[in-house]
Amino acid sequence: MKRILVTGSLGQIGSELVIELRKKYGIDNVIATGRRKPINNPVVDDGIYELLDVNDYDEFLRLAQKYQVNVIIHLAAVLSAKAEENPLASWHINMDTLLNALEVSRITNSMLFTCSSIGAFGPNSPKDHTPQDTIMRPTTMYGITKVAQELLCDYYFLKYNVDTRSVRFPGLISNVTKPGGGTTDYAVHIYYDALEKGKYTSFIDKNTYLDMMYMPDAIKCIIDLIEADANKLIHRNAYNVSAMSIEPEMIATSIKKHLPNFVLDYEVDPIRQNIANSWPNSLDTSIAKKEWNFSYQYDLDKMTSDMLKVLQNKKGCK
Ligand code: AKB
């Protein structure tokens, strides 16, 4: 039976992942952790929740040992745009917490799942159907930490036999917790503003193609990979995954099928646009399909219908 500790469980992925993990593995087998303890939050209220600053190695190890965990899902990290605001601090946060997670996994003999990103690729990587194994020379601090993370996770697998597993997530679109500080965040904000204001001003320019995925597919991805047969995993850190390659006008067209008066305009942010320009248009996901049957359910229109329905219900919008 898996006993899973999740770091960063109040974030965009964690706040939905923890709920699904509790359903699948049982309330007592999921230890959600985070740096805050907000009130009226299902992650905190509906199961085991512990305060943890992942920089605190001793406390991280103590909690992993106290609950006898055998899987660690390490989500705490600074995203791409935020990392460019303070590159050195972001290097420390992303790398120091990763090393803590790797060491705690080694000592407790736990599997370690980490999130890499399309941001691990750079301007010299092939733009379309970017292969699993190719040139990776990112030009952002976020991307540099992701490549270093992939290499360190491979190292811990090869040197210490730690069962490290990871995916290169594309932009994730969700209706529970808004992302903070990512380049792909526009693809989440557009749905909120479509309902609240009937218009959205995008900081990413038209014709900028990026890979994206709806959060239910991302959660399924994590669970499928931690459940996958270790003997079949060759590319462990980290698998290309994606559900769609889209640009802002395509989302607008999809939204207009439900809200015909929706208006999209642009005020491009040069910093985030530069980051987006350095990333692939679309990833080749064939290796993930081959090694652990990666699959997804939501294309753009299916995701748009669900996003708008859920947000409408939440906000009581018409
Ligand atoms: C970001 O935009 O920084 C993230 C990512 C693609 O890793 N959403």
PDB file of all heavy atoms in Angstrom, residues 79-80 117-118 142 169-171 182-184 279, ligand 1:
ATOM      1  N   LEU A  79       7.692  29.111 -10.257  1.00  0.00           N
ATOM      2  CA  LEU A  79       7.411  28.977 -11.695  1.00  0.00           C
ATOM      3  C   LEU A  79       8.242  29.969 -12.532  1.00  0.00           C
ATOM      4  O   LEU A  79       8.929  30.838 -12.002  1.00  0.00           O
ATOM      5  CB  LEU A  79       5.921  29.162 -11.962  1.00  0.00           C
ATOM      6  CG  LEU A  79       5.011  28.051 -11.417  1.00  0.00           C
ATOM      7  CD1 LEU A  79       3.563  28.303 -11.811  1.00  0.00           C
ATOM      8  CD2 LEU A  79       5.438  26.674 -11.878  1.00  0.00           C
ATOM      9  N   SER A  80       8.091  29.859 -13.861  1.00  0.00           N
ATOM     10  CA  SER A  80       9.026  30.509 -14.793  1.00  0.00           C
ATOM     11  C   SER A  80       9.119  32.029 -14.694  1.00  0.00           C
ATOM     12  O   SER A  80      10.210  32.580 -14.596  1.00  0.00           O
ATOM     13  CB  SER A  80       8.677  30.114 -16.224  1.00  0.00           C
ATOM     14  OG  SER A  80       7.334  30.455 -16.504  1.00  0.00           O
ATOM     15  N   SER A 117       9.152  20.334 -16.711  1.00  0.00           N
ATOM     16  CA  SER A 117       8.322  21.286 -17.459  1.00  0.00           C
ATOM     17  C   SER A 117       8.786  21.394 -18.907  1.00  0.00           C
ATOM     18  O   SER A 117       9.954  21.100 -19.218  1.00  0.00           O
ATOM     19  CB  SER A 117       8.446  22.657 -16.777  1.00  0.00           C
ATOM     20  OG  SER A 117       8.043  23.699 -17.640  1.00  0.00           O
ATOM     21  N   ILE A 118       7.875  21.885 -19.767  1.00  0.00           N
ATOM     22  CA  ILE A 118       8.282  22.254 -21.128  1.00  0.00           C
ATOM     23  C   ILE A 118       9.379  23.323 -21.058  1.00  0.00           C
ATOM     24  O   ILE A 118      10.126  23.508 -22.011  1.00  0.00           O
ATOM     25  CB  ILE A 118       7.091  22.791 -21.960  1.00  0.00           C
ATOM     26  CG1 ILE A 118       6.349  23.928 -21.224  1.00  0.00           C
ATOM     27  CG2 ILE A 118       6.137  21.673 -22.303  1.00  0.00           C
ATOM     28  CD1 ILE A 118       5.283  24.631 -22.075  1.00  0.00           C
ATOM     29  N   TYR A 142      14.275  29.203 -14.498  1.00  0.00           N
ATOM     30  CA  TYR A 142      13.342  28.096 -14.255  1.00  0.00           C
ATOM     31  C   TYR A 142      13.780  26.855 -15.048  1.00  0.00           C
ATOM     32  O   TYR A 142      13.884  25.753 -14.494  1.00  0.00           O
ATOM     33  CB  TYR A 142      11.951  28.548 -14.693  1.00  0.00           C
ATOM     34  CG  TYR A 142      10.849  27.538 -14.540  1.00  0.00           C
ATOM     35  CD1 TYR A 142      10.459  27.075 -13.287  1.00  0.00           C
ATOM     36  CD2 TYR A 142      10.143  27.075 -15.658  1.00  0.00           C
ATOM     37  CE1 TYR A 142       9.407  26.184 -13.157  1.00  0.00           C
ATOM     38  CE2 TYR A 142       9.100  26.188 -15.536  1.00  0.00           C
ATOM     39  CZ  TYR A 142       8.728  25.742 -14.283  1.00  0.00           C
ATOM     40  OH  TYR A 142       7.685  24.859 -14.152  1.00  0.00           O
ATOM     41  N   PHE A 169       5.677  18.774 -17.509  1.00  0.00           N
ATOM     42  CA  PHE A 169       4.317  19.274 -17.672  1.00  0.00           C
ATOM     43  C   PHE A 169       4.284  20.477 -18.610  1.00  0.00           C
ATOM     44  O   PHE A 169       5.170  21.331 -18.574  1.00  0.00           O
ATOM     45  CB  PHE A 169       3.722  19.703 -16.329  1.00  0.00           C
ATOM     46  CG  PHE A 169       2.983  18.602 -15.611  1.00  0.00           C
ATOM     47  CD1 PHE A 169       3.184  18.388 -14.247  1.00  0.00           C
ATOM     48  CD2 PHE A 169       2.067  17.793 -16.276  1.00  0.00           C
ATOM     49  CE1 PHE A 169       2.503  17.379 -13.575  1.00  0.00           C
ATOM     50  CE2 PHE A 169       1.377  16.784 -15.613  1.00  0.00           C
ATOM     51  CZ  PHE A 169       1.612  16.579 -14.268  1.00  0.00           C
ATOM     52  N   PRO A 170       3.217  20.546 -19.409  1.00  0.00           N
ATOM     53  CA  PRO A 170       2.967  21.769 -20.173  1.00  0.00           C
ATOM     54  C   PRO A 170       2.226  22.759 -19.269  1.00  0.00           C
ATOM     55  O   PRO A 170       2.126  22.536 -18.047  1.00  0.00           O
ATOM     56  CB  PRO A 170       2.061  21.262 -21.293  1.00  0.00           C
ATOM     57  CG  PRO A 170       1.307  20.126 -20.685  1.00  0.00           C
ATOM     58  CD  PRO A 170       2.211  19.518 -19.640  1.00  0.00           C
ATOM     59  N   GLY A 171       1.678  23.837 -19.810  1.00  0.00           N
ATOM     60  CA  GLY A 171       0.839  24.731 -19.030  1.00  0.00           C
ATOM     61  C   GLY A 171      -0.374  23.960 -18.524  1.00  0.00           C
ATOM     62  O   GLY A 171      -0.987  23.223 -19.295  1.00  0.00           O
ATOM     63  N   GLY A 182       3.507  31.856 -13.576  1.00  0.00           N
ATOM     64  CA  GLY A 182       3.909  31.077 -14.748  1.00  0.00           C
ATOM     65  C   GLY A 182       3.717  31.857 -16.038  1.00  0.00           C
ATOM     66  O   GLY A 182       2.989  32.862 -16.069  1.00  0.00           O
ATOM     67  N   THR A 183       4.363  31.381 -17.109  1.00  0.00           N
ATOM     68  CA  THR A 183       4.220  32.000 -18.423  1.00  0.00           C
ATOM     69  C   THR A 183       2.911  31.570 -19.083  1.00  0.00           C
ATOM     70  O   THR A 183       2.312  32.315 -19.854  1.00  0.00           O
ATOM     71  CB  THR A 183       5.424  31.571 -19.296  1.00  0.00           C
ATOM     72  OG1 THR A 183       6.603  31.988 -18.610  1.00  0.00           O
ATOM     73  CG2 THR A 183       5.389  32.207 -20.674  1.00  0.00           C
ATOM     74  N   THR A 184       2.471  30.361 -18.773  1.00  0.00           N
ATOM     75  CA  THR A 184       1.243  29.837 -19.383  1.00  0.00           C
ATOM     76  C   THR A 184      -0.014  30.240 -18.607  1.00  0.00           C
ATOM     77  O   THR A 184      -1.112  29.817 -18.968  1.00  0.00           O
ATOM     78  CB  THR A 184       1.313  28.296 -19.474  1.00  0.00           C
ATOM     79  OG1 THR A 184       1.535  27.784 -18.166  1.00  0.00           O
ATOM     80  CG2 THR A 184       2.424  27.832 -20.393  1.00  0.00           C
ATOM     81  N   TRP A 279      10.319  28.344 -25.713  1.00  0.00           N
ATOM     82  CA  TRP A 279       9.784  27.004 -25.432  1.00  0.00           C
ATOM     83  C   TRP A 279       9.230  26.362 -26.705  1.00  0.00           C
ATOM     84  O   TRP A 279       8.880  27.058 -27.660  1.00  0.00           O
ATOM     85  CB  TRP A 279       8.662  27.109 -24.383  1.00  0.00           C
ATOM     86  CG  TRP A 279       9.134  27.462 -23.009  1.00  0.00           C
ATOM     87  CD1 TRP A 279      10.429  27.586 -22.584  1.00  0.00           C
ATOM     88  CD2 TRP A 279       8.307  27.728 -21.870  1.00  0.00           C
ATOM     89  NE1 TRP A 279      10.448  27.923 -21.253  1.00  0.00           N
ATOM     90  CE2 TRP A 279       9.173  28.017 -20.794  1.00  0.00           C
ATOM     91  CE3 TRP A 279       6.929  27.755 -21.646  1.00  0.00           C
ATOM     92  CZ2 TRP A 279       8.710  28.318 -19.520  1.00  0.00           C
ATOM     93  CZ3 TRP A 279       6.466  28.052 -20.375  1.00  0.00           C
ATOM     94  CH2 TRP A 279       7.349  28.333 -19.322  1.00  0.00           C
TER      95      TRP A 279
HETATM   96  C1  AKB B   1       5.075  28.036 -16.230  1.00  0.00           C
HETATM   97  O1  AKB B   1       4.478  28.680 -17.113  1.00  0.00           O
HETATM   98  O2  AKB B   1       6.058  28.448 -15.610  1.00  0.00           O
HETATM   99  C2  AKB B   1       4.573  26.649 -15.921  1.00  0.00           C
HETATM  100  C3  AKB B   1       5.265  25.615 -16.758  1.00  0.00           C
HETATM  101  C4  AKB B   1       4.890  25.423 -18.169  1.00  0.00           C
HETATM  102  O3  AKB B   1       6.132  24.966 -16.280  1.00  0.00           O
HETATM  103  N1  AKB B   1       3.153  26.581 -16.112  1.00  0.00           N
END
